[in-house]
Amino acid sequence: DADVTQTPRNRITKTGKRIMLECSQTKGHDRMYWYRQDPGLGLRLIYYSFDVKDINKGEISDGYSVSRQAQAKFSLSLESAIPNQTALYFCATSPSWGNYGYTFGSGTRLTVV
Amino acid sequence: AQTVTQSQPEMSVQEAETVTLSCTYDTSESNYYLFWYKQPPSRQMILVIRQEAYKQQNATENRFSVNFQKAAKSFSLKISDSQLGDTAMYFCAFDILDDKIIFGKGTRLHILP
């Protein structure tokens, strides 16, 4: 099994629908992140959490919300999806010690029509 | 603001050649970590190499090495003896010790047979 699991892998949804992307990890890492990837824009940080009670906005949090249900679970919600939220979404984790980069999930490709 | 610039959106080289991907960054911090990530067509994000800014010695990982020029804020990636499996999007990234990694926009690398 993957260390960081994202579900669903792909999703098509309609404008205005609420959708949740889920992330779970077996790494035991305290820190979890949500990024979105758009062609030509790289990866941009949406939200991050350094522990269960700590949630922080990233550079592009508008239109998104998150929930850290447990150390191992971090969900991203789009309350009312819009077409410009069509993107590849990544969940990532890192330990609270050191700076060794992230462990990434395999991504969720979301299309809003 | 912290920024990462990858000036080459796309590159192509012949198999077995050496290729260098450019990256510059901007920060007023003196201590930080730099990374190169690879994203093959499978879309998985894979850490290629990591450099600690306080270390002058350039990091190497098998065929991958970096040229880290701290004063110039430059962090290029060299791939020697390139292989077809090196075809991917490559992202330069850094962490200024606040544990939020900032990514560049990426360089798409094609290795031609």
Side-chain angles (χ1 to χ4, degrees), chain B residues 12-62:
Chain B
S12 296
V13 296
Q14 295 295 135
E15 190 177 9
E17 290 185 348
T18 294
V19 59
T20 299
L21 281 61
S22 301
C23 174
T24 58
Y25 58 92
D26 187 24
T27 181
S28 58
E29 302 293 329
S30 59
N31 199 17
Y32 44 87
Y33 293 81
L34 295 155
F35 308 92
W36 278 97
Y37 280 88
K38 171 184 178 181
Q39 185 182 43
S42 67
R43 84 190 192 199
Q44 183 67 46
M45 292 287 287
I46 302 164
L47 179 62
V48 175
I49 203 163
R50 169 182 175 269
Q51 174 79 42
E52 299 172 33
Y54 62 87
K55 287 188 176 179
Q56 291 186 338
Q57 185 174 4
N58 289 323
T60 63
E61 289 288 342
N62 301 312

Side-chain angles (χ1 to χ4, degrees), chain A residues 37-43, chain B residues 4-6 9 89-92 103-108:
Chain A
Q37 181 183 356
D38 298 278
L41 296 180
L43 280 76
Chain B
V4 180
T5 301
Q6 294 181 248
M89 180 74 85
Y90 288 82
F91 293 98
C92 178
F103 290 85
K105 295 181 179 181
T107 295
R108 187 173 297 280

Side-chain angles (χ1 to χ4, degrees), chain B residues 57-74:
Chain B
Q57 185 174 4
N58 289 323
T60 63
E61 289 288 342
N62 301 312
R63 297 182 294 107
F64 297 87
S65 61
V66 297
N67 183 4
F68 173 46
Q69 301 290 330
K70 190 172 184 178
K73 297 181 181 177
S74 172

Side-chain angles (χ1 to χ4, degrees), chain A residues 12-75:
Chain A
I12 300 173
T13 192
K14 293 184 177 181
T15 298
K17 291 290 188 182
R18 183 179 188 276
I19 183 168
M20 179 182 290
L21 309 184
E22 299 189 0
C23 177
S24 63
Q25 53 121 344
T26 58
K27 298 287 288 184
H29 289 167
D30 290 322
R31 299 178 176 187
M32 299 187 74
Y33 309 80
W34 278 103
Y35 283 82
R36 68 176 277 177
Q37 181 183 356
D38 298 278
L41 296 180
L43 280 76
R44 294 179 293 165
L45 183 62
I46 306 172
Y47 270 96
Y48 62 101
S49 170
F50 284 174
D51 66 43
V52 175
K53 297 182 180 180
D54 177 73
I55 303 288
N56 302 281
K57 293 182 178 181
E59 66 175 301
I60 54 163
S61 59
D62 287 349
Y64 302 94
S65 62
V66 292
S67 173
R68 185 83 183 264
Q69 300 95 325
Q71 187 206 35
K73 295 183 181 294
F74 192 36
S75 301

